Amino acid sequence: MLDAEMLRQRLLEALPGSEVELRDTTGTGDHFEARIVSPAFAGRTMVEQHQLVYAPLQAWLKTGELHALALKTYSPEQWKKLGPR
Amino acid sequence: MNDQLKARFDAETKGHAIVLYMKGNALFPQCGFSARALELLRPFGAVHTVDVLADAEVRNGIKEYTNWPTIPQIFINGKFVGGSDILMELSERGELADLVAGKSPA
């Protein structure tokens, strides 16, 4: 079973220098929500930002170990302007 | 995906400012996420809707075209914007108007 810390570590490896907050929304280890602020997101569309997050999690998504991940993504500049809300 | 289908998506997504691939049509959405997407887009202009339930080739093809796994899918000014979660987030951030006006990368 996955836990928030496993996802967080994987995301930090793929997106160094990011701030990653994760929550298991159902307590069942397969539904999570994440808020990620990453320099890698600068100048990217939201679709591209989300694809950067899904890429390192692909294996878990394919097996269904990770069923759902609700995402909020921000570049540092966007976070300065928009968050925290 | 065959060339004919790809050409269809190219023409369809570039031929209208706002294009929504949805389950059902504008009068009778068949899915809550599709219905919500339509309501979020409507204030910003005419929404060209495509019912993916009417054609399995389109339903599967659009996911391959965008490399995005779910319906609905939204295009604005010829560019893939995302699905219902992203649309909701852009709406909350107040970025949809600029996007339709061609002022923001979204």
Side-chain angles (χ1 to χ4, degrees):
Chain A
M1 194 172 99
L2 298 173
D3 62 44
E5 191 52 30
M6 287 164 75
L7 292 184
R8 207 176 81 84
Q9 286 306 329
R10 179 67 62 89
L11 288 171
L12 285 173
E13 281 166 29
L15 302 165
S18 302
E19 280 176 45
V20 178
E21 271 191 37
L22 264 153
R23 199 167 72 85
D24 182 335
T25 52
T26 54
T28 51
D30 57 353
H31 292 66
F32 295 88
E33 64 181 19
R35 190 185 72 203
I36 305 168
V37 182
S38 176
F41 296 157
R44 308 253 191 187
T45 68
M46 207 176 287
V47 163
E48 291 165 341
Q49 293 176 354
H50 286 205
Q51 282 168 338
L52 283 172
V53 175
Y54 286 127
L57 307 177
Q58 216 36 254
W60 289 330
L61 286 161
K62 277 210 177 111
T63 60
E65 280 171 278
L66 177 56
H67 184 74
L69 178 63
L71 285 177
K72 300 230 169 176
T73 56
Y74 307 84
S75 67
E77 195 183 330
Q78 287 173 324
W79 181 245
K80 223 179 276 174
K81 200 169 79 185
L82 296 163
R85 288 176 299 160
Chain B
M1 160 173 349
N2 66 51
D3 290 348
Q4 201 187 341
L5 189 58
K6 184 179 179 306
R8 177 208 155 132
F9 289 139
D10 284 345
E12 209 160 52
T13 56
K14 285 169 182 54
H16 311 269
I18 306 175
V19 182
L20 172 64
Y21 290 84
M22 65 183 287
K23 293 181 177 174
N25 58 42
L27 278 180
F28 296 105
Q30 300 288 319
C31 154
F33 296 105
S34 289
R36 191 176 70 176
L38 185 61
E39 291 315 306
L40 288 174
L41 289 167
R42 267 189 167 138
F44 300 100
V47 181
H48 178 77
T49 63
V50 179
D51 181 1
V52 302
L53 298 178
D55 187 338
E57 197 183 41
V58 170
R59 182 176 182 176
N60 294 316
I62 193 65
K63 297 177 185 174
E64 197 182 326
Y65 183 70
T66 53
N67 193 28
W68 195 257
T70 50
I71 305 290
Q73 300 199 5
I74 295 98
F75 290 77
I76 294 178
N77 294 325
K79 195 160 183 207
F80 178 52
V81 167
S84 63
D85 284 359
I86 287 183
L87 191 67
M88 179 69 103
E89 181 67 18
L90 290 171
S91 168
E92 282 175 14
R93 292 187 193 184
E95 292 182 6
L96 280 179
D98 278 357
L99 193 58
V100 175
K103 282 190 232 159
S104 152

Short mmCIF file of all heavy atoms in Angstrom, two decimals, chain B residues 22-72:
data_model
loop_
_atom_site.label_atom_id
_atom_site.label_comp_id
_atom_site.label_asym_id
_atom_site.label_seq_id
_atom_site.Cartn_x
_atom_site.Cartn_y
_atom_site.Cartn_z
N MET B 22 -17.27 16.19 -24.82
CA MET B 22 -18.05 15.88 -23.62
C MET B 22 -18.89 14.62 -23.81
O MET B 22 -19.04 14.11 -24.93
CB MET B 22 -18.98 17.06 -23.29
CG MET B 22 -20.04 17.32 -24.35
SD MET B 22 -21.07 18.79 -23.99
CE MET B 22 -22.08 18.16 -22.62
N LYS B 23 -19.41 14.13 -22.68
CA LYS B 23 -20.35 13.02 -22.74
C LYS B 23 -21.75 13.61 -22.78
O LYS B 23 -22.17 14.28 -21.84
CB LYS B 23 -20.18 12.11 -21.53
CG LYS B 23 -18.84 11.38 -21.54
CD LYS B 23 -18.68 10.47 -20.35
CE LYS B 23 -17.35 9.70 -20.44
NZ LYS B 23 -17.08 8.90 -19.23
N GLY B 24 -22.45 13.36 -23.88
CA GLY B 24 -23.75 13.98 -24.10
C GLY B 24 -23.60 15.26 -24.90
O GLY B 24 -22.50 15.58 -25.37
N ASN B 25 -24.70 15.99 -25.04
CA ASN B 25 -24.61 17.25 -25.79
C ASN B 25 -25.01 18.42 -24.88
O ASN B 25 -25.31 18.23 -23.70
CB ASN B 25 -25.49 17.19 -27.05
CG ASN B 25 -26.95 16.90 -26.73
OD1 ASN B 25 -27.49 17.46 -25.78
ND2 ASN B 25 -27.56 16.01 -27.50
N ALA B 26 -24.96 19.63 -25.45
CA ALA B 26 -25.19 20.83 -24.64
C ALA B 26 -26.57 20.81 -23.98
O ALA B 26 -26.73 21.31 -22.87
CB ALA B 26 -25.03 22.08 -25.51
N LEU B 27 -27.56 20.25 -24.64
CA LEU B 27 -28.91 20.20 -24.07
C LEU B 27 -29.04 19.11 -23.01
O LEU B 27 -29.71 19.29 -22.00
CB LEU B 27 -29.94 19.94 -25.17
CG LEU B 27 -30.38 21.15 -25.99
CD1 LEU B 27 -31.41 20.72 -27.04
CD2 LEU B 27 -30.97 22.23 -25.08
N PHE B 28 -28.39 17.97 -23.26
CA PHE B 28 -28.50 16.84 -22.34
C PHE B 28 -27.14 16.24 -22.01
O PHE B 28 -26.77 15.19 -22.52
CB PHE B 28 -29.41 15.75 -22.92
CG PHE B 28 -30.82 16.19 -23.11
CD1 PHE B 28 -31.32 16.48 -24.37
CD2 PHE B 28 -31.67 16.32 -22.00
CE1 PHE B 28 -32.63 16.92 -24.53
CE2 PHE B 28 -32.98 16.74 -22.17
CZ PHE B 28 -33.47 17.04 -23.44
N PRO B 29 -26.35 16.93 -21.16
CA PRO B 29 -25.08 16.35 -20.74
C PRO B 29 -25.33 15.02 -20.02
O PRO B 29 -26.29 14.93 -19.25
CB PRO B 29 -24.51 17.39 -19.78
CG PRO B 29 -25.26 18.66 -20.08
CD PRO B 29 -26.62 18.23 -20.54
N GLN B 30 -24.47 14.03 -20.28
CA GLN B 30 -24.67 12.70 -19.70
C GLN B 30 -23.71 12.43 -18.56
O GLN B 30 -23.57 11.29 -18.12
CB GLN B 30 -24.48 11.63 -20.78
CG GLN B 30 -25.42 11.74 -21.96
CD GLN B 30 -26.83 11.35 -21.58
OE1 GLN B 30 -27.04 10.39 -20.86
NE2 GLN B 30 -27.81 12.13 -22.04
N CYS B 31 -23.03 13.46 -18.09
CA CYS B 31 -22.01 13.28 -17.05
C CYS B 31 -21.86 14.59 -16.31
O CYS B 31 -21.85 15.67 -16.92
CB CYS B 31 -20.70 12.85 -17.72
SG CYS B 31 -19.21 13.27 -16.80
N GLY B 32 -21.77 14.51 -14.98
CA GLY B 32 -21.69 15.71 -14.16
C GLY B 32 -20.47 16.57 -14.46
O GLY B 32 -20.54 17.79 -14.46
N PHE B 33 -19.34 15.91 -14.76
CA PHE B 33 -18.12 16.66 -15.05
C PHE B 33 -18.24 17.41 -16.37
O PHE B 33 -17.80 18.54 -16.50
CB PHE B 33 -16.90 15.72 -15.08
CG PHE B 33 -16.62 15.07 -13.76
CD1 PHE B 33 -16.92 13.74 -13.55
CD2 PHE B 33 -16.06 15.80 -12.71
CE1 PHE B 33 -16.67 13.13 -12.32
CE2 PHE B 33 -15.80 15.21 -11.49
CZ PHE B 33 -16.12 13.87 -11.29
N SER B 34 -18.86 16.76 -17.36
CA SER B 34 -19.08 17.42 -18.65
C SER B 34 -20.03 18.61 -18.49
O SER B 34 -19.81 19.69 -19.04
CB SER B 34 -19.67 16.43 -19.67
OG SER B 34 -18.69 15.49 -20.08
N ALA B 35 -21.08 18.42 -17.70
CA ALA B 35 -22.06 19.49 -17.48
C ALA B 35 -21.40 20.68 -16.80
O ALA B 35 -21.63 21.84 -17.17
CB ALA B 35 -23.22 18.97 -16.63
N ARG B 36 -20.56 20.39 -15.79
CA ARG B 36 -19.90 21.46 -15.06
C ARG B 36 -18.93 22.23 -15.97
O ARG B 36 -18.86 23.46 -15.92
CB ARG B 36 -19.14 20.87 -13.87
CG ARG B 36 -18.63 21.91 -12.91
CD ARG B 36 -17.98 21.26 -11.71
NE ARG B 36 -16.72 20.62 -12.08
CZ ARG B 36 -15.90 20.04 -11.20
NH1 ARG B 36 -16.21 20.00 -9.93
NH2 ARG B 36 -14.77 19.51 -11.60
N ALA B 37 -18.21 21.49 -16.81
CA ALA B 37 -17.28 22.13 -17.74
C ALA B 37 -18.03 23.10 -18.66
O ALA B 37 -17.61 24.23 -18.89
CB ALA B 37 -16.54 21.08 -18.57
N LEU B 38 -19.16 22.65 -19.16
CA LEU B 38 -19.96 23.47 -20.06
C LEU B 38 -20.41 24.76 -19.36
O LEU B 38 -20.31 25.86 -19.92
CB LEU B 38 -21.17 22.67 -20.54
CG LEU B 38 -22.07 23.34 -21.58
CD1 LEU B 38 -21.28 23.64 -22.85
CD2 LEU B 38 -23.26 22.45 -21.89
N GLU B 39 -20.88 24.64 -18.12
CA GLU B 39 -21.34 25.82 -17.38
C GLU B 39 -20.21 26.81 -17.11
O GLU B 39 -20.41 28.01 -17.13
CB GLU B 39 -21.99 25.39 -16.05
CG GLU B 39 -23.31 24.67 -16.21
CD GLU B 39 -24.22 25.35 -17.24
OE1 GLU B 39 -24.49 26.56 -17.09
OE2 GLU B 39 -24.65 24.67 -18.19
N LEU B 40 -19.00 26.27 -16.86
CA LEU B 40 -17.85 27.15 -16.60
C LEU B 40 -17.44 27.91 -17.85
O LEU B 40 -16.97 29.04 -17.78
CB LEU B 40 -16.66 26.34 -16.08
CG LEU B 40 -16.77 25.81 -14.65
CD1 LEU B 40 -15.59 24.89 -14.33
CD2 LEU B 40 -16.83 26.95 -13.64
N LEU B 41 -17.60 27.26 -19.02
CA LEU B 41 -17.12 27.86 -20.27
C LEU B 41 -18.12 28.85 -20.87
O LEU B 41 -17.73 29.83 -21.51
CB LEU B 41 -16.84 26.76 -21.30
CG LEU B 41 -15.61 25.89 -21.01
CD1 LEU B 41 -15.60 24.65 -21.90
CD2 LEU B 41 -14.33 26.70 -21.22
N ARG B 42 -19.41 28.61 -20.66
CA ARG B 42 -20.46 29.37 -21.34
C ARG B 42 -20.34 30.89 -21.20
O ARG B 42 -20.60 31.60 -22.17
CB ARG B 42 -21.83 28.91 -20.85
CG ARG B 42 -22.40 27.84 -21.75
CD ARG B 42 -23.84 27.56 -21.38
NE ARG B 42 -24.48 26.75 -22.41
CZ ARG B 42 -25.29 25.73 -22.15
NH1 ARG B 42 -25.57 25.41 -20.91
NH2 ARG B 42 -25.83 25.06 -23.13
N PRO B 43 -19.97 31.42 -20.02
CA PRO B 43 -19.88 32.88 -19.89
C PRO B 43 -18.84 33.50 -20.82
O PRO B 43 -18.86 34.71 -21.03
CB PRO B 43 -19.47 33.09 -18.43
CG PRO B 43 -19.84 31.83 -17.73
CD PRO B 43 -19.72 30.74 -18.74
N PHE B 44 -17.94 32.68 -21.38
CA PHE B 44 -16.82 33.23 -22.15
C PHE B 44 -17.00 33.14 -23.66
O PHE B 44 -16.09 33.46 -24.41
CB PHE B 44 -15.51 32.57 -21.71
CG PHE B 44 -15.23 32.79 -20.25
CD1 PHE B 44 -15.51 31.81 -19.31
CD2 PHE B 44 -14.74 34.00 -19.81
CE1 PHE B 44 -15.29 32.02 -17.97
CE2 PHE B 44 -14.51 34.24 -18.46
CZ PHE B 44 -14.79 33.24 -17.54
N GLY B 45 -18.19 32.71 -24.08
CA GLY B 45 -18.46 32.69 -25.52
C GLY B 45 -19.11 31.40 -25.96
O GLY B 45 -19.41 30.53 -25.14
N ALA B 46 -19.33 31.31 -27.28
CA ALA B 46 -19.97 30.12 -27.83
C ALA B 46 -19.08 28.90 -27.62
O ALA B 46 -17.87 28.95 -27.85
CB ALA B 46 -20.23 30.31 -29.32
N VAL B 47 -19.68 27.83 -27.13
CA VAL B 47 -18.93 26.60 -26.89
C VAL B 47 -19.33 25.58 -27.96
O VAL B 47 -20.49 25.20 -28.05
CB VAL B 47 -19.23 26.02 -25.49
CG1 VAL B 47 -18.42 24.75 -25.25
CG2 VAL B 47 -18.94 27.05 -24.41
N HIS B 48 -18.34 25.16 -28.76
CA HIS B 48 -18.59 24.10 -29.74
C HIS B 48 -18.45 22.77 -29.02
O HIS B 48 -17.38 22.43 -28.53
CB HIS B 48 -17.60 24.22 -30.89
CG HIS B 48 -17.77 23.14 -31.92
ND1 HIS B 48 -18.78 23.17 -32.86
CD2 HIS B 48 -17.08 22.00 -32.15
CE1 HIS B 48 -18.70 22.09 -33.63
NE2 HIS B 48 -17.67 21.37 -33.21
N THR B 49 -19.54 22.00 -28.92
CA THR B 49 -19.47 20.74 -28.19
C THR B 49 -19.43 19.55 -29.14
O THR B 49 -20.03 19.57 -30.21
CB THR B 49 -20.66 20.57 -27.22
OG1 THR B 49 -21.87 20.53 -27.98
CG2 THR B 49 -20.73 21.69 -26.22
N VAL B 50 -18.70 18.52 -28.74
CA VAL B 50 -18.61 17.27 -29.49
C VAL B 50 -18.98 16.14 -28.52
O VAL B 50 -18.36 16.00 -27.47
CB VAL B 50 -17.19 17.03 -30.04
CG1 VAL B 50 -17.13 15.72 -30.80
CG2 VAL B 50 -16.75 18.20 -30.92
N ASP B 51 -20.02 15.39 -28.87
CA ASP B 51 -20.48 14.29 -28.02
C ASP B 51 -19.66 13.04 -28.30
O ASP B 51 -19.82 12.40 -29.34
CB ASP B 51 -21.97 14.04 -28.29
CG ASP B 51 -22.53 12.91 -27.42
OD1 ASP B 51 -21.78 12.34 -26.61
OD2 ASP B 51 -23.73 12.61 -27.57
N VAL B 52 -18.79 12.66 -27.35
CA VAL B 52 -17.92 11.50 -27.59
C VAL B 52 -18.69 10.19 -27.48
O VAL B 52 -18.23 9.16 -27.96
CB VAL B 52 -16.72 11.46 -26.61
CG1 VAL B 52 -15.88 12.72 -26.72
CG2 VAL B 52 -17.16 11.24 -25.18
N LEU B 53 -19.87 10.22 -26.85
CA LEU B 53 -20.65 8.99 -26.73
C LEU B 53 -21.25 8.58 -28.07
O LEU B 53 -21.64 7.43 -28.26
CB LEU B 53 -21.76 9.16 -25.69
CG LEU B 53 -21.31 9.44 -24.26
CD1 LEU B 53 -22.51 9.63 -23.34
CD2 LEU B 53 -20.42 8.33 -23.74
N ALA B 54 -21.31 9.55 -28.99
CA ALA B 54 -21.92 9.27 -30.30
C ALA B 54 -20.97 8.49 -31.21
O ALA B 54 -21.39 7.95 -32.23
CB ALA B 54 -22.35 10.57 -30.98
N ASP B 55 -19.68 8.42 -30.84
CA ASP B 55 -18.71 7.82 -31.75
C ASP B 55 -17.51 7.27 -30.95
O ASP B 55 -16.71 8.04 -30.43
CB ASP B 55 -18.25 8.89 -32.75
CG ASP B 55 -17.36 8.31 -33.85
OD1 ASP B 55 -16.76 7.23 -33.64
OD2 ASP B 55 -17.26 8.94 -34.91
N ALA B 56 -17.42 5.96 -30.85
CA ALA B 56 -16.36 5.33 -30.05
C ALA B 56 -14.97 5.70 -30.57
O ALA B 56 -14.02 5.82 -29.80
CB ALA B 56 -16.53 3.81 -30.04
N GLU B 57 -14.85 5.89 -31.89
CA GLU B 57 -13.56 6.24 -32.47
C GLU B 57 -13.11 7.61 -31.96
O GLU B 57 -11.94 7.81 -31.63
CB GLU B 57 -13.67 6.25 -34.00
CG GLU B 57 -12.33 6.19 -34.67
CD GLU B 57 -12.44 6.26 -36.19
OE1 GLU B 57 -13.26 7.06 -36.71
OE2 GLU B 57 -11.70 5.54 -36.87
N VAL B 58 -14.05 8.54 -31.85
CA VAL B 58 -13.75 9.87 -31.34
C VAL B 58 -13.44 9.80 -29.84
O VAL B 58 -12.50 10.40 -29.35
CB VAL B 58 -14.93 10.84 -31.60
CG1 VAL B 58 -14.73 12.15 -30.84
CG2 VAL B 58 -15.06 11.10 -33.09
N ARG B 59 -14.23 9.01 -29.13
CA ARG B 59 -14.07 8.90 -27.67
C ARG B 59 -12.67 8.39 -27.31
O ARG B 59 -12.02 8.90 -26.40
CB ARG B 59 -15.12 7.94 -27.11
CG ARG B 59 -15.06 7.78 -25.61
CD ARG B 59 -16.20 6.90 -25.13
NE ARG B 59 -16.20 6.77 -23.69
CZ ARG B 59 -17.14 6.12 -23.02
NH1 ARG B 59 -18.14 5.56 -23.66
NH2 ARG B 59 -17.08 6.03 -21.71
N ASN B 60 -12.20 7.36 -28.01
CA ASN B 60 -10.87 6.83 -27.75
C ASN B 60 -9.79 7.68 -28.40
O ASN B 60 -8.71 7.87 -27.83
CB ASN B 60 -10.77 5.39 -28.24
CG ASN B 60 -11.69 4.48 -27.44
OD1 ASN B 60 -11.76 4.58 -26.22
ND2 ASN B 60 -12.42 3.62 -28.14
N GLY B 61 -10.10 8.19 -29.59
CA GLY B 61 -9.11 8.93 -30.36
C GLY B 61 -8.68 10.23 -29.68
O GLY B 61 -7.51 10.58 -29.69
N ILE B 62 -9.64 10.92 -29.06
CA ILE B 62 -9.29 12.22 -28.47
C ILE B 62 -8.33 12.03 -27.30
O ILE B 62 -7.45 12.86 -27.06
CB ILE B 62 -10.56 13.01 -28.04
CG1 ILE B 62 -10.22 14.47 -27.74
CG2 ILE B 62 -11.27 12.38 -26.85
CD1 ILE B 62 -9.75 15.27 -28.91
N LYS B 63 -8.46 10.91 -26.58
CA LYS B 63 -7.56 10.64 -25.46
C LYS B 63 -6.14 10.39 -25.95
O LYS B 63 -5.16 10.77 -25.30
CB LYS B 63 -8.05 9.44 -24.66
CG LYS B 63 -9.42 9.65 -24.02
CD LYS B 63 -9.87 8.38 -23.32
CE LYS B 63 -11.29 8.54 -22.77
NZ LYS B 63 -11.79 7.27 -22.21
N GLU B 64 -6.05 9.77 -27.11
CA GLU B 64 -4.73 9.52 -27.70
C GLU B 64 -4.15 10.81 -28.26
O GLU B 64 -2.96 11.09 -28.13
CB GLU B 64 -4.90 8.48 -28.82
CG GLU B 64 -3.61 7.83 -29.26
CD GLU B 64 -3.85 6.86 -30.40
OE1 GLU B 64 -4.93 6.22 -30.44
OE2 GLU B 64 -2.98 6.77 -31.28
N TYR B 65 -5.03 11.61 -28.86
CA TYR B 65 -4.63 12.88 -29.49
C TYR B 65 -3.97 13.81 -28.47
O TYR B 65 -2.97 14.46 -28.74
CB TYR B 65 -5.87 13.52 -30.09
CG TYR B 65 -5.67 14.81 -30.85
CD1 TYR B 65 -5.02 14.82 -32.08
CD2 TYR B 65 -6.18 16.01 -30.36
CE1 TYR B 65 -4.87 16.00 -32.79
CE2 TYR B 65 -6.04 17.19 -31.07
CZ TYR B 65 -5.38 17.19 -32.28
OH TYR B 65 -5.24 18.35 -32.99
N THR B 66 -4.53 13.86 -27.26
CA THR B 66 -4.03 14.77 -26.22
C THR B 66 -3.13 14.06 -25.20
O THR B 66 -2.53 14.74 -24.37
CB THR B 66 -5.21 15.36 -25.42
OG1 THR B 66 -6.03 14.29 -24.94
CG2 THR B 66 -6.04 16.28 -26.28
N ASN B 67 -3.08 12.73 -25.25
CA ASN B 67 -2.39 11.97 -24.20
C ASN B 67 -2.96 12.32 -22.83
O ASN B 67 -2.23 12.52 -21.86
CB ASN B 67 -0.88 12.23 -24.26
CG ASN B 67 -0.10 11.25 -23.42
OD1 ASN B 67 -0.55 10.12 -23.20
ND2 ASN B 67 1.03 11.66 -22.90
N TRP B 68 -4.27 12.41 -22.75
CA TRP B 68 -4.97 12.75 -21.51
C TRP B 68 -6.07 11.71 -21.33
O TRP B 68 -6.79 11.41 -22.27
CB TRP B 68 -5.55 14.15 -21.63
CG TRP B 68 -5.99 14.75 -20.33
CD1 TRP B 68 -7.27 14.86 -19.88
CD2 TRP B 68 -5.16 15.36 -19.35
NE1 TRP B 68 -7.28 15.49 -18.65
CE2 TRP B 68 -6.00 15.80 -18.30
CE3 TRP B 68 -3.78 15.56 -19.24
CZ2 TRP B 68 -5.50 16.43 -17.16
CZ3 TRP B 68 -3.30 16.19 -18.10
CH2 TRP B 68 -4.15 16.62 -17.08
N PRO B 69 -6.19 11.11 -20.11
CA PRO B 69 -6.98 9.89 -19.98
C PRO B 69 -8.49 10.04 -19.82
O PRO B 69 -9.20 9.04 -19.86
CB PRO B 69 -6.39 9.24 -18.72
CG PRO B 69 -5.90 10.39 -17.90
CD PRO B 69 -5.47 11.45 -18.88
N THR B 70 -8.98 11.25 -19.59
CA THR B 70 -10.38 11.39 -19.21
C THR B 70 -11.15 12.36 -20.09
O THR B 70 -10.57 13.21 -20.77
CB THR B 70 -10.48 11.86 -17.74
OG1 THR B 70 -9.65 13.01 -17.58
CG2 THR B 70 -10.03 10.78 -16.78
N ILE B 71 -12.48 12.23 -20.07
CA ILE B 71 -13.42 13.16 -20.69
C ILE B 71 -14.12 13.88 -19.55
O ILE B 71 -14.43 13.20 -18.55
CB ILE B 71 -14.47 12.37 -21.53
CG1 ILE B 71 -13.80 11.46 -22.55
CG2 ILE B 71 -15.47 13.30 -22.18
CD1 ILE B 71 -13.13 12.14 -23.71
N PRO B 72 -14.43 15.14 -19.60
CA PRO B 72 -14.33 16.06 -20.74
C PRO B 72 -12.91 16.56 -21.03
O PRO B 72 -12.03 16.47 -20.17
CB PRO B 72 -15.22 17.23 -20.28
CG PRO B 72 -15.10 17.23 -18.79
CD PRO B 72 -15.02 15.78 -18.41
#
